[in-house]
Amino acid sequence: MKKIFNALKFTCVFSLILAVFVSCDKDFNTIQSDVIAAKNFNTDYTLAPITSYNRKLDSVKINNLGASLFGVFNDPVYGQTKASIVAQVIPSSFNPSFGDNPKIESVILNIPYYSRAITDSTYTIKDSLFGDSPIKLSIYQNNYFLRDFDPNSETNSAQNYYSYANNPANNTDNFAVTENGTINFDDFKSADTLYYDPSFVPSSDAIVITKTASDGTETTERLAPALRVELDTTFWKSAILDKVGSTELSNANNFINYFRGLYFKAEPIGNDGNMILFNLGASGANITINYSYDSTITDGERVQSSYVLSFTGIKLNTFINDFTTPLENGDPNLGDEKLYLKGTGSMAVVDLFTGLVDYTDENEVTTQIPALEAFKKTYRAVDDNGDYIIKNGDFVLKRLINEAQLVVHEDETMAEPTDDYHKYDRLYAYDIKNNIPLADYDYDPTGNTTDPFNSRYIHLGQRMTDDNGVTKYKIRITEQLNNILLKDSTNTKIGLVLSTNVNQTSGSALLDSYDDVSGVPSMSLLTPRGTVLYGSNQNVAEDKRMVLEIFSTVPDTKSNN
């Protein structure tokens, strides 16, 4: 189908509005006399051709994601996802001496949740907790050795582990994939559990610790909400205290080869559950072995001490998807009617300026040319020979892009258990070629490190629902297009994913990618909820179809005569 690159023009004199654009747009001065020489200006509104389609995700990097997702989540559209964790623990010191006649008093596992303080003594974990139904929590010793480096790499590259979330033959065990094969962590877990909770639900209550000194004085300490449980002392005596003086406790390499970490397994109870973000990178994420030993000063007196194991080694998230919605690769030529965004399942790709369009030049001659070429011809100034003009290394423009935005509508027919179920969803757009944010990300002054939902909202927008129940997002890509025009930057495809924290932009690579998508933002993997958007396919109703809107300023040269 032929695509049209025509402008809907609205002419006005707007010196005041222009002054605002001058103050806000860093590239306005590049246009210089081409625009400023005009007394009056016209505004143009253009719908540029795009193609958006689905990209199924297989084998996404799952180690060291920045946070760790744990639990069971049942999405009303996609079905159930289970997230488990495999993590190394490393002692805070080596070659320990546990004293004479050591005895373990307690072993405490503490893993903070991501929480916010409401008052000095109350917290909320609603930003990182999804669902509130109980699940089964089992903790095992992991006996699979997690390598730091890829043995097949000639450059000593780090070993990456990738997801195998869509295993059609096994939806109960947790897998990872490397370049060398598939790992089933359930084949490498200890025979006995180190801890088991048949009905685990994270609590937002503060952790209150009361200590009694030898003189009877009590002190109280409050900690942020966490998974804080007491572990069996017998296992840890055998695993740690009885190894005193051995090579296993002499350095980090020996220790992680001996004690290969813990395996936190999440299992459902029925269809529903809960999913929580563990902060394994926090200073308080550890296993503390509290022990006592005979005093060398006072006979009969016991000295209290502790030995701490921290989660400072390799951490990886495993996923099991039991999807009820089939996810497939889309049509990169015609685009898809609906776009499926779901963690380790699927993302969307947006290709700007696709296909051929009708372009009408200044002599009113219409020809059909590639859309990207038409875009450049429409905005760039040319000399008498018809060649683009370059000044100070940049192309000179004959019109100014004031605003360019992807308008994306959400599918209003998808199932939602509550009206505000998707209220806090954020769309994240990124450059799929380089796995980095788009140019507009860095120009957005609304970055907020403490409140990700209200961060970068000029560029990435926020979910908006009007009085008629129409829900949409607007993604500002003005600087992205300016870079194409001014710098001749590559017109890279844009990836769209959901994100729980748009401040975190690190990427997770794909194993053996077959197209332009070589990675996804890590935070998209840690977003339990999925959503469905309308795509660019011509079968989508015009008022719901994804579009690229461009608002521009054009000098009215005729008014100067």
Side-chain angles (χ1 to χ4, degrees), residues 73 80 107 146 152 161 201 216 245 262 265 290 307 328 341 353 389 425 427 512 517 524 535 552:
F73 184 76
Q80 192 178 85
V107 180
L146 297 173
N152 297 320
Y161 298 86
V201 178
L262 299 180
K265 182 169 184 176
N290 298 303
Y307 193 63
E328 302 293 341
L341 275 56
F353 306 110
I389 302 172
D425 287 353
L427 274 190
D512 298 329
V517 181
S524 69
S552 59

Side-chain angles (χ1 to χ4, degrees), residues 382-393:
V382 295
D383 58 22
D384 293 338
N385 297 321
D387 297 323
Y388 293 133
I389 302 172
I390 299 176
K391 290 183 180 179
N392 299 322

Side-chain angles (χ1 to χ4, degrees), residues 60 80 107 118 158 185 218 259 302 336 347 467 555:
V60 186
Q80 192 178 85
V107 180
I118 303 301
F185 286 104
E218 287 190 353
F259 192 92
R302 300 283 291 178
D336 293 332
M347 60 172 286
D467 295 337

Side-chain angles (χ1 to χ4, degrees), residues 426-430 436-437 441 460 495-499 502 504-505 521:
R426 295 293 303 275
L427 274 190
Y428 180 79
Y430 73 105
I436 58 175
Y441 186 94
L460 296 173
L496 289 182
V497 297
L498 282 186
S499 174
V502 298
Q504 301 297 324
T505 62

